[in-house]
Amino acid sequence: MMDGSQLILAEYEQVKQEQRARIGFRDNLLYATFGVMAAVIGSTLPRGGHAEMLLLLPPLSVILGWTYLVNDEKISAVGRYIRHELAPRLEQLTSDPLAVFGWESAHRRDAYRLSRKRIQLAVDLLTFCAVPLAALTVYWLLGPARWPLLLVSAAETIMVAGLATQIVRYADFGS
């Protein structure tokens, strides 16, 4: 039978395993997004006069961006759970409370963390929002001005703006 500290450590290993898996998946979503962007833009350019194909980019970017954001939030949630739930429970059971999961808090006190988080926010907005908005702008300037496509592009603009709002909302600037 396991004692309390062994149970907490076992739970820690489980949530860290989930966090590692989500980090890998999240990071691969960036590569998938770049691949989708290259495919859409690459298939649009050689077909001059088919700017409406750029309308594929916003919904794909929103889907990938939302999936990225959800995984990023769950990664942060695991860290919060470890810092605020598991660490205090384990500290009560150990003789050296300062040694409990120190890295989970120490890396958040880095002097450059805030600037890194701001840059990451800019990268996320650029990747998942600015590029699709640029595609929409190119469509509006060069594409056929058919009302169904204009309606689709307006809906896509709202979707991208909604994603941008969520990306900013979930930016984790806290310590």
Side-chain angles (χ1 to χ4, degrees):
M1 179 125 181
M2 296 179 125
D3 70 6
S5 61
Q6 289 173 323
L7 287 172
I8 293 169
L9 291 173
E11 183 179 3
Y12 172 77
E13 282 304 316
Q14 286 298 108
V15 295
K16 285 305 282 187
Q17 183 177 349
E18 177 184 344
Q19 188 181 49
R20 283 188 292 272
R22 285 185 179 275
I23 288 169
F25 182 72
R26 178 202 59 193
D27 293 351
N28 284 329
L29 282 169
L30 281 174
Y31 302 125
T33 301
F34 296 142
V36 163
M37 289 175 179
V40 169
I41 293 167
S43 66
T44 303
L45 293 177
R47 300 175 183 241
H50 290 282
E52 67 273 10
M53 291 185 66
L54 291 172
L55 295 179
L56 295 170
L57 194 54
L60 294 171
S61 294
V62 166
I63 290 167
L64 291 167
W66 179 252
T67 306
Y68 176 91
L69 181 62
V70 167
N71 274 280
D72 191 58
E73 194 285 323
K74 293 300 180 207
I75 291 163
S76 295
V78 167
R80 282 191 305 274
Y81 179 74
I82 291 169
R83 288 189 309 278
H84 301 294
E85 299 292 329
L86 291 183
R89 288 185 355 223
L90 189 57
E91 286 172 359
Q92 291 175 347
L93 301 173
T94 64
S95 59
D96 186 6
L98 297 177
V100 175
F101 308 136
W103 173 248
E104 298 294 336
S105 296
H107 78 279
R108 297 179 64 83
R109 293 188 298 264
D110 176 4
Y112 300 105
R113 181 178 186 278
L114 185 58
S115 64
R116 274 196 320 275
K117 294 302 284 183
R118 287 180 179 150
I119 291 167
Q120 186 63 52
L121 174 61
V123 168
D124 292 348
L125 288 170
L126 177 67
T127 302
F128 297 111
C129 301
V131 172
L133 289 175
L136 286 164
T137 302
V138 170
Y139 167 73
W140 292 325
L141 294 173
L142 305 176
R146 292 187 225 124
W147 74 266
L149 294 176
L150 291 172
L151 192 60
V152 166
S153 70
E156 290 178 349
T157 303
I158 293 167
M159 288 172 25
V160 172
L163 177 62
T165 301
Q166 294 302 311
I167 289 172
V168 171
R169 179 177 288 152
Y170 281 98
D172 182 14
F173 292 115
S175 57

